[in-house]
Amino acid sequence: MTPRTIFESDHEIFRAAVRKFFRAEVTPHVDRWRHQGVVDREIFRKAGDHGYLLMWAPEAYGGLGVDDMRYEQIVQEENFRHGDPGLCLTLHSRVVAPYIGQHGTDEQKQRWLPAAVRGEKILAVAMSEPAAGSDLAGMQARAEEHDDHWVLSGSKTYISNGLLADLVVVAARTGRGADRAIGLFVVEEGMAGFRRGRKLDKLGLDAQDTAEMFFDGVVVPKHNVLGDPTHGFRYLTHALAVERLQIAIGAIAHAQVAFDVTLEFVKQRTAFGRPIGTFQDPRFRMARMRAELDAMQSHIDHCVMLANAGALSAEVASGAKMLATELEGRVIDDCLQLHGGAGYMEEYRISRMYRDARVTRIFGGTSEIMAEIIGRRLGLDERRLTR
Ligand SMILES: Cc1cc2nc3c(=O)[nH]c(=O)nc-3n(C[C@H](O)[C@H](O)[C@H](O)COP(=O)(O)OP(=O)(O)OC[C@H]3O[C@@H](n4cnc5c(N)ncnc54)[C@H](O)[C@@H]3O)c2cc1C
C-alpha cells in the first residue's frame, strides 16, 4: 500500500487507542448485533466515555474542540476493519450533530450537545420519505406554524439509527403551494404523535436499525427549530457534502479490508497444487486492485484535508462518493470471486461485506444523483441547454 501522508504522530497514537477500543468493545459483539438487527445502545456511551464522539464540539458543550476530520476518519476506518458498518458512530458525530452545532442557538447546543458527546443521546436525521428520496424537494412532510410551536405531520423512511435515536433532525416543508421552503425540526423521543414503524429487513447492514418514522401532528416547540425554518434546504445541501465524504471514507476503508482479507485467502488456498494467488489472473487482479485502491485512498485523504480547510465543494464530495463507492463495489465483487464458493458462504467475511457494500451507491444520494450534481456544475443542466 502506498504510504499515506496526511496523518501525524498524534493521529497514529489516536489510531492505536481506537483500534484497541474496537477490538475490546466492538469486535466481540458484532455477530450478536448482526443477529439481533441493532447494536447495543451501550456502545455509544462507551465511545463517548473514550472521547470518540463529536470530537469537534467546543469544550463549552462537552467536546474536545478538535475540529479535524482525520480523527473521525480514523474512527471510521477502524470501525470498518475491527467493527461493523452497521455501527453508525460517525453518522451521529459528523453528519447529524453538526446540524445542531452549526444552526442551533447557544441554548439548544447546551441542551443537546453534551449528552450527544457522552453518547447518552443518539442522533438520526430524517429526510427521505416513501415518495421522495432523490427528489428531496418533493418531500410531503409538513410543519404548520402556531404561536409558540409548530405542528409536524408526515412520515419518513429508511432512517439509520431509526430505533435507537433519542433526537431526530426532521426535514419538513414550511412553505405553502409552490413555495418549497423547508425547515429542520428536532423531534425528541417521547413527544406525543411521534411513532417509529418497523425495523426494515435489508439485504445487508444487518446490525443497523433502519426504520420508518411517523409524525402525527407532533407539537414541536419553537425552541426545537434549528436556524431559519425556511432555510433547511441550504442547511441540508451543505451537510450532505460532508455526509457524502463520510460515506466515501467508509467505502474505501471497506474495500481496503476486503483486499487484505482476500490477499490472505489467495495465498493460503491452493488449486492444481499451488496457491491460487500465484496464477496470472488472480495475481493481475490483485495488482490492479492494489493500484486502484492506492489512487482512490490518496484522493479521499485529499478530500478530508479540503474539508478541514473548509474547501470541500458539493461536486467534489459527490465525485468522491460516486467513485469510492463504485470502486468498493467492483473490488468487493472481485474479492468474492477470488474466494470461489467460500465467498458465497456466510461464515466467510467477504460474503457479508458484499451484502453490506451494495447500499453505499444508493444512500446519501445515488451514484446517478452524484453525477447530476457534477454535471450541473459543468453547466450541463438540462433546463439551461433546452432554453
Ligand atoms: C440502508 C439505508 C439507510 C438510509 N439512511 C437514511 C437516513 O438515515 N436518513 C435519510 O433521510 N435517508 C436515508 N436513506 C435513504 C437514501 O438516502 C435514499 O434511499 C436515496 O437517497 C435514494 O432515494 P430513493 O430510495 O427514494 O430512490 P429513488 O429516488 O426512487 O431512485 C430510484 C432510482 O432512480 C434514479 N433516479 C432518481 N432520480 C434521478 C434523476 N434525476 N436522474 C437519474 N436517475 C435518477 C436513482 O438514481 C435510482 O437509481 C437510507 C437508505 C438506505 C437504503
Side-chain angles (χ1 to χ4, degrees):
M1 182 179 182
T2 304
R4 297 170 71 185
T5 54
I6 62 166
F7 298 113
E8 293 160 20
S9 58
D10 283 354
H11 297 104
E12 297 306 347
I13 293 166
F14 179 76
R15 185 187 292 280
V18 171
R19 182 167 294 184
K20 201 167 154 204
F21 170 81
F22 273 93
R23 281 182 170 157
E25 303 292 351
V26 178
T27 314
H29 304 293
V30 164
D31 286 345
R32 183 172 54 80
W33 290 347
R34 291 183 76 95
H35 192 67
Q36 70 192 20
V38 56
V39 306
D40 296 339
R41 64 181 301 123
E42 184 69 1
I43 191 60
F44 280 84
R45 208 194 42 70
K46 285 183 181 168
D49 284 349
H50 282 76
Y52 298 154
L53 301 178
L54 280 76
M55 290 172 276
W56 55 267
E59 289 176 23
Y61 305 117
L64 300 172
V66 181
D67 198 0
D68 175 352
M69 200 182 277
R70 287 172 291 183
Y71 287 104
E72 276 91 11
Q73 183 180 18
I74 289 168
V75 171
Q76 183 108 315
E77 288 174 356
E78 294 306 313
N79 184 38
F80 275 87
R81 192 163 286 277
H82 300 289
D84 188 89
L87 171 59
C88 300
L89 296 180
T90 44
L91 172 76
H92 168 91
S93 293
R94 258 295 170 180
V95 176
V96 193
Y99 283 111
I100 301 169
Q102 285 164 15
H103 310 297
T105 61
D106 182 54
E107 184 277 326
Q108 289 173 325
K109 292 184 214 177
Q110 291 288 359
R111 194 149 40 106
W112 294 319
L113 290 183
V117 170
R118 291 192 298 270
E120 288 165 11
K121 291 218 184 284
I122 298 174
L123 312 180
V125 60
M127 297 172 268
S128 305
E129 300 184 356
S134 301
D135 181 16
L136 270 183
M139 71 175 64
Q140 294 302 313
R142 164 170 295 287
E144 296 280 352
E145 187 170 16
H146 294 256
D147 293 344
D148 62 347
H149 64 273
W150 292 76
V151 175
L152 175 65
S153 305
S155 66
K156 299 286 177 181
T157 194
Y158 306 148
I159 307 307
S160 309
N161 285 347
L163 295 185
L164 290 176
D166 304 283
L167 298 178
V168 186
V169 175
V170 182
R173 296 178 68 166
T174 51
R176 295 192 166 278
D179 180 358
R180 291 278 173 101
I182 283 173
L184 299 183
F185 301 85
V186 179
V187 172
E188 304 189 47
E189 166 61 17
M191 283 182 168
F194 170 38
R195 189 164 57 79
R196 313 191 195 222
R198 63 204 164 95
K199 186 180 76 61
L200 300 164
D201 291 331
K202 306 188 291 299
L203 174 68
L205 290 187
D206 298 346
Q208 191 205 79
D209 53 326
T210 314
E212 301 169 312
M213 292 182 173
F214 301 97
F215 307 92
D216 302 323
V218 180
V219 173
V220 182
K222 285 206 167 153
H223 62 249
N224 276 34
V225 177
L226 292 176
D228 184 322
T230 63
H231 288 181
F233 212 80
R234 187 152 55 80
Y235 303 157
L236 290 176
T237 306
H238 175 78
L240 279 167
V242 174
E243 178 171 352
R244 286 164 185 159
L245 178 55
Q246 295 301 321
I247 293 171
I249 290 170
I252 188 73
H254 204 208
Q256 298 277 20
V257 176
F259 177 88
D260 293 344
V261 164
T262 305
L263 184 59
E264 201 52 42
F265 184 87
V266 298
K267 284 179 178 173
Q268 301 297 330
R269 173 79 180 168
T270 57
F272 302 98
R274 54 193 260 209
I276 55 167
T278 63
F279 291 108
Q280 190 187 61
D281 176 71
R283 188 168 68 238
F284 281 14
R285 281 203 215 200
M286 294 303 290
R288 176 163 289 280
M289 282 194 266
R290 181 67 276 150
E292 287 183 334
L293 287 169
D294 282 351
M296 186 63 68
Q297 188 70 68
S298 298
H299 180 58
I300 299 303
D301 288 353
H302 173 64
C303 289
V304 168
M305 298 309 280
L306 285 179
N308 276 353
L312 179 74
S313 65
E315 65 272 21
V316 167
S318 299
K321 179 188 186 279
M322 180 175 74
L323 292 185
T325 58
E326 289 180 356
L327 179 62
E328 176 195 24
R330 283 199 309 278
V331 163
I332 294 182
D333 187 65
D334 253 8
C335 287
L336 189 148
Q337 186 70 17
L338 287 168
H339 276 72
Y344 203 66
M345 299 297 134
E346 182 67 19
E347 66 194 272
Y348 283 82
R349 187 174 180 185
I350 196 69
S351 80
R352 69 174 198 235
M353 297 182 81
Y354 181 80
R355 293 193 288 110
D356 291 346
R358 189 59 188 87
V359 77
T360 61
R361 282 172 272 165
I362 297 171
F363 67 12
T366 64
S367 287
E368 294 75 27
I369 295 301
M370 298 304 96
E372 270 295 321
I373 291 169
I374 301 166
R376 260 183 250 148
R377 196 48 67 102
L378 293 174
L380 299 174
D381 188 329
E382 198 182 310
R383 278 163 297 184
R384 260 194 252 177
L385 293 175
T386 52
R387 199 175 293 157

